Amino acid sequence: MKAFTIAAALASVAMAAPADVSPRSLSAPAATPPSSVRVIGVSLLGSGCPAGSADVQIDATKTLMEVTFSQYYIETGPGTRASDWRRNCKLTLNLAFDEGFQFATLATDMKGFAQIPSGARGLCTNTFDFTGISGQSAYAISLPGPREGPFTLKADPDVTSWSPCGGTTSIMNMNTQCNISPTQQQALIAVDRISGKLTLNVALEWRKHTLEQLQAHVPSLAKIAKAPGVTLRVIHRGKVVHQQYYGYGDVEARLPVDQNTVFLMASLTKAITAATTAYPGKLAIWHGGNMPGVSNAICLLPESDTANYNGLATKCVEETLKSTDKVNRSLEKEQIHGTNPRSADSYAGRYYNTIKNWFIDIKVLGDALYLEFLGRPDEQYPLRHYHGDTFAWNGSYNEMVGRGQYVRDYRYYRIEFEEDESLGNIGRLRWRHDTSVPEGELFFRTRTEDT
């Protein structure tokens, strides 16, 4: 069976094909694993995995991945803080393997130590997804009390998600979260006392695709993604060996997809458009902006004859206005009226995340409180009192467009300050900037001399 690299682009608003939720709908019969599978990159984010505390290994059969954490613990009871009651770790793994393979996670088992009294309950969830593919595999592991000692718990996914088809690398995102409730009782989930590690074993399944199977599947992918048009291009050893077009490049004009149709390819569009503007050719218009940790861009090719840019721009404005209104309505719905904040100085200071690679400054300017990312004045936003020790920082439609922003989940625009119980004043803030980590990320206040 020949191995192919598949490149597919979806027109309109669809940036990538969704996950194949029928695990065996495309699989070749009982594909053996690739001869080589390597972890070529690991990045960590979260309170459960400080830098250097997690490790990933693939066994000799290429069907088992072992993830170990050496500083992952959850503790409740007297003397503990809110940051002790739950932990999470988001790992981004770059795996390299033989060309033409895909893999999925089939099952997990978690090994560690638990001390949970009657009436309390521990819960650990693990989710897996692939960059460029929507959908995820999700696993939940429950630890009801009473129990004390080592544990090994197994779980199967509710939906199986496969890595992108083709290529020799795949970026897998794994998010592990554990918590204990209620928090008043003394309880613990921690590393195994013999190995000194909390271990997560993940079973992997591999498969290969044929060109004929992929061709048959493209229309259903386009339907699921609600994409009006698709280009399928197969590249083998650097040469295009197959190209096929589906649907419309411009729905209103009823123009079919062809070799001149312009596709957006998520963040890759920025680099490609920037490169093409350096060479003579058709006019390209570029507008860029930035948000905390994110760069956004709008790319227009007005000399292209396959797109109605006025229509697309009008639709974009309409959809962004709807999203902005939705954020405002959601924030209003959850707001508690009639509360008062502390003095502005009570919140001011620099707040670092757990691994200290990102900080947020809270500044008092005049009579107002401001949020500033990474010490950048151009990333400064006014804070409005929301309720209690929580503030909001979303802007109007015009303000967001002026910064080249897109609208995010409404929780993204709340900064929740929390009291350090041992000191009796504000000691940390919680920012829910990642919807895959619903409890948000904690940032801890530093003393002036630490900044």
Side-chain angles (χ1 to χ4, degrees):
M1 183 185 297
K2 290 185 177 180
F4 293 95
T5 300
I6 310 298
L10 302 180
S12 189
V13 297
M15 294 297 102
D20 173 10
V21 296
S22 300
R24 291 166 180 78
S25 62
L26 276 178
S27 57
T32 57
S35 60
S36 174
V37 181
R38 295 178 295 113
V39 179
I40 59 176
V42 178
S43 65
L44 307 173
L45 175 64
S47 57
C49 51
S53 66
D55 183 60
V56 181
Q57 299 291 332
I58 306 291
D59 80 338
T61 69
K62 319 299 189 300
T63 60
L64 183 67
M65 178 172 65
E66 182 184 75
V67 184
T68 57
F69 306 92
S70 60
Q71 297 184 40
Y72 201 113
Y73 66 91
I74 302 91
E75 188 175 11
T76 59
T80 62
R81 303 184 303 175
S83 57
D84 299 323
W85 304 339
R86 61 181 67 86
R87 298 286 180 186
N88 81 284
C89 181
K90 187 173 183 178
L91 282 83
T92 300
L93 311 175
N94 193 353
L95 302 180
F97 44 86
D98 297 343
E99 186 179 28
F101 280 88
Q102 286 182 290
F103 71 93
T105 60
L106 289 185
T108 67
D109 68 62
M110 178 175 281
K111 299 179 181 180
F113 178 88
Q115 184 177 353
I116 300 177
S118 177
R121 187 182 194 88
L123 178 66
C124 294
T125 60
N126 302 293
T127 59
F128 299 85
D129 64 77
F130 298 96
T131 298
I133 296 290
S134 61
Q136 61 182 206
S137 298
Y139 307 77
I141 294 173
S142 181
L143 289 163
R147 66 161 62 227
E148 181 173 356
F151 67 83
T152 300
L153 297 176
K154 300 182 182 297
D156 295 320
D158 51 2
V159 174
T160 300
S161 177
W162 289 88
S163 65
C165 180
T168 58
T169 62
S170 181
I171 296 178
M172 183 172 73
N173 307 296
M174 185 187 87
N175 190 23
T176 297
Q177 303 177 61
C178 292
N179 66 77
I180 301 174
S181 62
T183 59
Q184 294 83 4
Q185 294 178 276
Q186 186 171 356
L188 176 71
I189 299 175
V191 300
D192 181 75
R193 294 187 174 181
I194 297 176
S195 67
K197 298 179 185 297
L198 182 76
T199 302
L200 181 66
N201 291 317
V202 183
L204 305 178
E205 181 180 13
W206 295 89
R207 71 182 185 185
K208 294 191 74 172
H209 277 186
T210 66
L211 175 59
E212 291 75 16
Q213 289 169 324
L214 180 60
Q215 287 175 306
H217 200 56
V218 167
S220 63
L221 283 178
K223 184 177 180 180
I224 295 171
K226 298 180 181 179
V230 176
T231 292
L232 170 65
R233 180 172 296 166
V234 182
I235 302 172
H236 182 53
R237 301 190 184 281
K239 295 183 179 180
V240 177
V241 296
H242 179 81
Q243 186 159 294
Q244 193 168 348
Y245 308 107
Y246 304 79
Y248 293 101
D250 188 330
V251 177
E252 293 181 0
R254 309 300 289 177
L255 296 175
V257 174
D258 59 21
Q259 68 272 16
N260 295 316
T261 301
V262 177
F263 291 93
L264 295 180
M265 295 179 290
S267 291
L268 288 176
T269 306
K270 295 176 243 171
I272 293 174
T273 305
T276 57
T277 56
Y279 298 92
K282 293 184 177 181
L283 178 63
I285 300 175
W286 165 281
H287 172 69
N290 63 79
M291 276 288 287
V294 180
S295 294
N296 301 315
I298 299 171
C299 313
L300 299 179
L301 304 174
E303 295 182 7
S304 169
D305 56 2
T306 61
N308 175 10
Y309 285 105
N310 287 333
L312 292 174
T314 299
K315 184 176 180 180
C316 180
V317 170
E318 292 172 351
E319 293 301 318
T320 305
L321 281 170
K322 290 179 184 177
S323 298
T324 304
D325 291 340
K326 183 178 178 181
V327 167
N328 292 333
R329 290 195 305 271
S330 297
L331 288 172
E332 174 63 27
K333 183 178 179 180
E334 295 187 6
Q335 187 174 14
I336 302 171
H337 297 279
T339 65
N340 296 310
R342 309 178 194 220
S343 67
D345 290 334
S346 300
Y347 305 102
R350 176 163 291 182
Y351 296 76
Y352 278 94
N353 62 353
T354 305
I355 59 177
K356 294 191 174 181
N357 67 344
W358 186 276
F359 64 86
I360 298 173
D361 286 330
I362 304 298
K363 296 184 173 183
V364 180
L365 301 177
D367 297 328
L369 206 58
Y370 283 80
L371 169 79
E372 187 174 286
F373 294 100
L374 295 176
R376 293 174 57 98
D378 58 335
E379 284 295 333
Q380 190 179 91
Y381 303 83
L383 289 172
R384 307 184 310 278
H385 182 242
Y386 186 67
H387 59 231
D389 289 319
T390 299
F391 291 76
W393 59 283
N394 59 305
S396 68
Y397 169 79
N398 286 336
E399 290 169 334
M400 297 177 72
V401 170
R403 290 177 177 265
Q405 300 175 8
Y406 64 89
V407 182
R408 291 166 169 80
D409 181 83
Y410 72 98
R411 287 168 286 247
Y412 181 90
Y413 300 105
R414 286 194 305 221
I415 297 295
E416 305 165 39
F417 294 95
E418 298 180 0
E419 186 176 276
D420 186 328
E421 294 84 352
S422 63
L423 299 177
N425 56 24
I426 296 298
R428 59 185 173 268
L429 66 81
R430 188 182 301 273
W431 184 26
R432 303 177 194 271
H433 59 85
D434 187 339
T435 55
S436 69
V437 186
E439 73 272 21
E441 184 175 8
L442 287 175
F443 292 74
F444 295 90
R445 192 177 187 181
T446 61
R447 300 187 305 271
T448 303
E449 57 267 27
D450 292 336
T451 61

